[in-house]
Amino acid sequence: FETNRNPSLMASHGSLSPSLETVLQMCNGPPCHESLTLFSGGAEGVDTVFDDAMARFAPFGQCLHWSFAGHRGFAARSHGRVDVPDDALESLCDPHLRAAAKQLHQSMPSRRN
């Protein structure tokens, strides 16, 4: 995303990647009708296709890619990457991941440290 078009998403340290806190504040507020936000996981395939399409056809918008330390296969542009801390992943994301794995008759992915 272009930080000069949406400065509220700049991380507090001046980085081009928004902080988790900044993104969560944005999600809890009313939707911004002046911009378009796409949330993805930044993986190869559809996530990168949508990232490229947003850059080309909706340059006024932004793509935010949920990620984590050690994320293998992150293929989207890094300036929209939002790293979620491990403790938040365990408490918020893992229960949903376990449920999805069960529905898909898959095992729970393991984390490599």
Side-chain angles (χ1 to χ4, degrees):
F1 59 90
E2 299 285 332
T3 56
N4 62 343
R5 291 191 178 141
N6 198 340
S8 65
L9 286 179
M10 278 187 67
S12 59
H13 303 301
S15 167
L16 290 179
S17 293
S19 69
L20 175 62
E21 293 80 18
T22 301
V23 173
L24 292 176
Q25 287 174 356
M26 181 192 75
C27 291
N28 285 323
C32 179
H33 299 289
E34 289 81 38
S35 68
L36 176 65
T37 302
L38 172 74
F39 293 97
S40 84
E44 288 185 57
V46 171
D47 288 347
T48 54
V49 169
F50 280 125
D51 189 36
D52 291 342
M54 284 284 294
R56 183 172 177 195
F57 299 109
F60 55 87
Q62 69 246 346
C63 292
L64 299 176
H65 311 289
W66 300 115
S67 191
F68 51 91
H71 185 174
R72 296 182 318 259
F74 187 88
R77 285 183 287 268
S78 62
H79 63 267
R81 182 175 175 153
V82 180
D83 284 328
V84 179
D86 284 342
D87 59 338
L89 290 173
E90 291 171 10
S91 65
L92 299 173
C93 304
D94 283 359
H96 297 286
L97 186 56
R98 274 192 286 282
K102 183 178 179 180
Q103 287 291 323
L104 295 169
H105 305 287
Q106 300 289 322
S107 61
M108 178 78 170
S110 63
R111 287 208 178 98
R112 289 188 182 181
N113 293 327

